[in-house]
Amino acid sequence: MELRHLRYFVAIAEEGSMTVAAEKRLHTAQPSLSRQLRDLEHEVGAQLLERGARGVRLTPAGRAFLEHARLALKSAAEAVGAARRAARPPKPSFSVGFLTGQEVEWLRHVSYVLRDQLKDIDFRVSSDFSVEIGAALQRGDVDLGFCRIEPQPDVTYRVIASEPIRVVLPRDHPLTACSAIDVRDIRPDSFIGYTDSPHVLRSIVDRYLADRGVAMAPTSFLDGIATGISLVASTGGVTLLPAYVEPLLPRPVVSRPLVGNPPVIDIAAGYRADNPSPVLKYFLENIDSLVTSRDRG
C-alpha cells in the first residue's frame, strides 16, 4: 500500500464519482484509477466502495478506512513539511506588537522600513492592550512595540506621533450637528468611562475634564477601543477616544473634534536597548523614515 492509493481512495470518496475524481482531482485516466482502487481493496482485504449507476458510495469498511486514510495523508504532509523546514537554515525572527488598532496605521510603514529585510526574517505581528505590549517588551517577547509610554525598567520609548482625542458618538446623536463639540455639552450620565487598562488615555481625559470643571457620571466603562465603539453603538453613549479609531468606526458611529485645543495622546515605539537583534538595530537607525513614510501617507 502506497500513499497514492490513499490519495486516490480519499478523492473518490469525497467526490462520490470515479469519473469526477479521475478528471478533476487526480488528472488520471479512469481505468487506471479503477485498477488502483482494486489493488487497494485487495491489500486491505475488504470492499471499500460500492459502484452504482449514480456513482460510488462507501461501504461500512470504507467509512472506517476513510478517517484513517485522511489522518495518514495529513501526517505524511506534516512529515514532509518538517523535513523541509529542518533542511533550511532557520530565519531570525523579529516580532512587533501593536496597541490594538494601531497596526492599521503603522504596520505598512514598518514593512516599508524593513522591506529589504522581510525576505530574510520570520516577521511576526501581534496586537494587545498597551500595558500588555509594554510588559511583552520588558519580557523580551516582542522586539518592537507601538504603544503608549508604559513605564518598564528596561524599555526605552521614542515618541513617533501625537494624535488628538475626539468625541465618539452615535450618528443620530443631537451633538453630531456641531462641527466641534464642547465637552460641557455632553450629558454626564451618557459618558462612557475607562477601566484601568487604558490608564494613559484615562489620565489625559480626566485631567482635560478637570481643567474645564466637568464631572462625568459614567455607568459604562471601556477597556479598549473595540469595547468603547461597541458601547457607543449599543448604549447610545458618548466617549472620548484617540483619532486613530476613525477608520475603524462602523456606520452607526461617528466622531467629532473637540472645540479649542483638544488633548493629545502620544504613540511611541518601544524597545529594549540591550536587544541584540540586527533587525531592530536597522529599524532604529531608519526610524525617521518610518515617520516620513507615515506623514506622506
Side-chain angles (χ1 to χ4, degrees):
M1 186 186 304
E2 300 179 12
L3 285 176
R4 60 186 171 86
H5 291 115
L6 301 183
R7 283 196 293 270
Y8 293 166
F9 170 73
V10 170
I12 296 168
E14 290 178 347
E15 295 296 341
S17 166
M18 194 86 69
T19 302
V20 173
E23 293 179 356
K24 295 186 177 181
R25 288 276 295 271
L26 303 171
H27 308 290
T28 188
Q30 184 176 335
S32 173
L33 184 57
S34 298
R35 186 171 58 254
Q36 298 290 342
L37 180 60
R38 286 195 300 270
D39 291 344
L40 176 62
E41 289 178 323
H42 177 75
E43 184 73 24
V44 173
Q47 183 180 358
L48 303 176
L49 295 168
E50 291 180 349
R51 288 78 164 170
R54 296 185 177 180
V56 297
R57 63 179 182 177
L58 291 166
T59 65
R63 284 192 294 271
F65 188 77
L66 177 61
E67 180 180 352
H68 293 282
R70 285 171 170 158
L71 288 173
L73 291 173
K74 180 181 178 183
S75 295
E78 290 174 350
V80 171
R84 288 174 177 172
R85 287 191 297 273
R88 292 194 299 262
K91 290 183 177 181
S93 66
F94 187 72
S95 179
V96 183
F98 292 92
L99 165 62
T100 300
Q102 289 288 353
E103 65 272 26
V104 176
E105 177 71 20
W106 290 101
L107 179 55
R108 64 187 186 276
H109 304 302
V110 173
S111 299
Y112 174 78
V113 174
L114 298 178
R115 60 194 181 278
D116 294 332
Q117 280 72 36
L118 289 179
K119 66 181 183 300
D120 299 318
I121 62 174
D122 180 9
F123 187 53
R124 303 176 184 180
V125 177
S126 61
S127 64
D128 208 331
F129 294 127
S130 180
V131 66
E132 296 300 332
I133 297 299
L137 285 166
Q138 176 63 29
R139 294 192 303 268
D141 291 344
V142 297
D143 298 294
L144 179 67
F146 289 78
C147 57
R148 309 304 174 198
I149 297 177
E150 305 285 353
Q152 294 287 347
D154 301 306
V155 179
T156 300
Y157 292 98
R158 173 168 172 178
V159 174
I160 56 174
S162 298
E163 56 185 335
I165 292 174
R166 295 175 64 93
V167 183
V168 177
L169 67 171
R171 181 176 294 274
D172 58 0
H173 195 285
L175 288 177
T176 58
C178 305
S179 58
I181 295 174
D182 190 322
V183 73
R184 287 166 290 199
D185 292 333
I186 299 173
R187 203 175 75 239
D189 62 351
S190 72
F191 188 75
I192 298 168
Y194 313 91
T195 66
D196 290 338
S197 292
H199 66 98
V200 176
L201 174 63
R202 185 185 63 187
S203 65
I204 291 173
V205 171
D206 285 350
R207 186 165 57 250
Y208 177 77
L209 296 176
D211 289 346
R212 282 149 186 79
V214 175
M216 296 298 185
T219 58
S220 299
F221 299 85
L222 63 88
D223 62 1
I225 62 166
T227 308
I229 293 170
S230 296
L231 285 170
V232 170
S234 61
T235 70
V238 179
T239 194
L240 302 182
L241 292 173
Y244 83 91
V245 306
E246 287 185 275
L248 309 176
L249 297 179
R251 195 176 187 285
V253 178
V254 297
S255 75
R256 294 289 184 271
L258 288 158
V259 296
N261 295 318
V264 297
I265 188 167
D266 294 335
I267 184 73
Y271 58 94
R272 287 187 60 135
D274 59 356
N275 186 335
S277 167
V279 181
L280 177 63
K281 181 176 183 293
Y282 178 87
F283 178 86
L284 295 175
E285 289 171 349
N286 293 274
I287 195 169
D288 289 339
S289 65
L290 173 84
V291 178
T292 300
S293 173
R294 189 250 191 179
D295 290 345
R296 289 176 177 172

